[in-house]
Amino acid sequence: MKKHNFNAGPCVLPKQAIESTIEAIRDFDNTGIGILEISHRTPGWERIMAETEQLWRDLLNIPENYAVLFLGGGASTQFYSLAANFLNKKGAYLETGVWAKKAIKEAKLYGEVSVVASSADKNYSYVPKGYTIPADADYFHITTNNTIYGTEIKTDIDSPVNLIADMSSDIMSRPVDISKYAMIYGGAQKNVGPAGVTFVIIRKDFLDTVQRQLPSMVKYSTHIGDEPKNNSMFNTPPVLPIFVMHETLKWVKEMGGVGEMNKINQKKADLLYGEIDRNKMFVGTAAKEDRSIMNVCFVMAEEYKDKEAAFMDFAKKAGMVGIKGHRSVGGFRASIYNACPTESVEALVECMKEFEKQNA
Ligand SMILES: *Cc1c(COP(=O)(O)O)cnc(C)c1O
């Protein structure tokens, strides 16, 4: 039976990216040797690195004065790296969920942290508004998409101080005005590739602004390098994840870029939220104006609470994979990232309609 993959991450990738990666593992660039078995200093690989960076620059319109890095360690490593690199006196944070809280915890190791607003009072089901960003903070940190709770900051906000964003789960889902950010980072495994590579976009004049000594690997400027440039190859980069990212971004480009992706994503989200709002057996958990177009969270309506396990079973039998909600929200979560086909969303909607017909 056809499976519809709604996993939250790692998650569905474009089929063509998987196919071309399989081929590259067998034979990379017609060398007769697989990509896992070559040096990262060969010209063929250096070309992939350069092309991957260029794809990022083209797709997101990244200005010249920003560096684009591909590192290891996941977004979780960035939680402390960014504080180590940029927190001199005070970091300001918007607390919109578990990932934001983890970033806050790490920053406290380096200095004062000011949580400007939190939505913890309602289990992070909304994005706080009307807060004031302290003008004396070194930076303001936001999580643009709250993967677990299904809320999203869908516009590029104005900040009086350097804006840093964890965009792990909505990067490449919409056009972004990079110039509004001092730094954007995230794990690749939601929208741009497999686990194992982390993207970091930094405005160069923001680098080396802290006083403290840092280990080479933690310091962003190490990975950029002076002439000759390191270009994310100070040490051995995560070769295979970067290759899959290269193939995934090629697919995004073929689809028409992030503007087109956004239109498709919006349609998919509208379809699913539309059904959640129409179907009397389900309710959405996120505040309507903050609903994420990447992670759609919903639970059984109060009077049908006892049907949760039955729906899970019903959906599973119809080929739905990965729709169990995160334990901190419960119910269901369908992650409908870029590579999740509209057809899968339609299948889930059909499944919800059929379940209602049989049970309500
Ligand atoms: C998944 C996720 C993370 C954690 O990423 P790792 O690469 O596993 O460290 C951080 N922030 C957000 C918003 C996420 O969705």
Side-chain angles (χ1 to χ4, degrees), residues 56-208:
W56 275 88
R57 290 192 181 276
D58 292 348
L59 287 166
L60 289 178
N61 232 328
I62 301 174
E64 255 327 288
N65 60 327
Y66 284 74
V68 182
L69 300 174
F70 309 122
L71 308 173
S76 301
T77 295
Q78 297 309 312
F79 295 164
Y80 74 79
S81 289
L82 73 90
N85 277 272
F86 302 124
L87 202 164
N88 257 319
K89 207 177 118 262
K90 180 156 81 179
Y93 282 75
L94 188 63
E95 193 192 282
T96 51
V98 163
W99 296 119
K101 257 172 83 168
K102 289 189 177 180
I104 290 165
K105 176 170 179 258
E106 301 298 299
K108 283 179 179 165
L109 296 169
Y110 295 95
E112 189 191 339
V113 168
S114 157
V115 176
V116 302
S118 169
S119 48
D121 60 338
K122 288 187 179 160
N123 197 30
Y124 303 112
S125 58
Y126 69 102
V127 176
K129 287 156 202 90
Y131 49 80
T132 306
I133 304 164
D136 63 340
D138 297 309
Y139 60 81
F140 178 49
H141 180 282
I142 58 173
T143 314
T144 51
N145 186 64
N146 299 286
T147 323
I148 293 172
Y149 308 89
T151 62
E152 187 176 12
I153 299 170
K154 285 169 271 195
T155 53
D156 303 307
I157 64 167
D158 292 309
S159 168
V161 299
N162 290 301
L163 183 60
I164 300 183
D166 174 356
M167 291 198 187
S168 293
S169 53
D170 64 351
I171 190 78
M172 297 284 175
S173 70
R174 66 168 176 94
V176 171
D177 180 356
I178 303 288
S179 71
K180 288 204 164 180
Y181 301 84
M183 172 178 168
I184 295 171
Y185 69 95
Q189 70 273 20
K190 314 291 171 36
N191 234 0
V192 287
V197 59
T198 312
F199 58 88
V200 178
I201 303 165
I202 309 181
R203 203 180 61 226
K204 288 182 200 158
D205 67 7
F206 189 39
L207 291 163
D208 302 318

Side-chain angles (χ1 to χ4, degrees), residues 20 50 87 146-147 160 170 213 229 232 263 310 354:
S20 52
L87 202 164
N146 299 286
T147 323
D170 64 351
Q213 295 279 317
K229 293 260 181 272
S232 303
K263 282 185 205 155
E354 191 53 38

Side-chain angles (χ1 to χ4, degrees), residues 260-333:
E260 280 306 308
M261 285 302 354
N262 185 245
K263 282 185 205 155
I264 300 168
N265 288 330
Q266 194 61 59
K267 264 198 192 145
K268 287 188 290 181
D270 288 348
L271 195 62
L272 190 46
Y273 284 119
E275 176 59 17
I276 290 167
D277 293 342
R278 185 209 62 79
N279 193 314
K280 56 178 168 299
M281 298 192 79
F282 301 98
V283 279
T285 55
K288 278 192 180 169
E289 70 275 17
D290 298 323
R291 281 174 163 179
S292 165
I293 62 166
M294 296 277 99
N295 310 95
V296 179
C297 297
F298 55 104
V299 294
M300 301 307 300
E302 208 48 52
E303 50 180 316
Y304 297 108
K305 279 278 180 247
D306 60 326
K307 298 278 190 213
E308 184 171 316
F311 178 69
M312 189 60 89
D313 197 45
F314 185 81
K316 210 168 160 181
K317 284 190 179 124
M320 308 301 140
V321 176
I323 62 162
K324 192 174 166 49
H326 189 273
R327 62 189 177 280
S328 52
V329 179
F332 310 96
R333 170 177 55 173

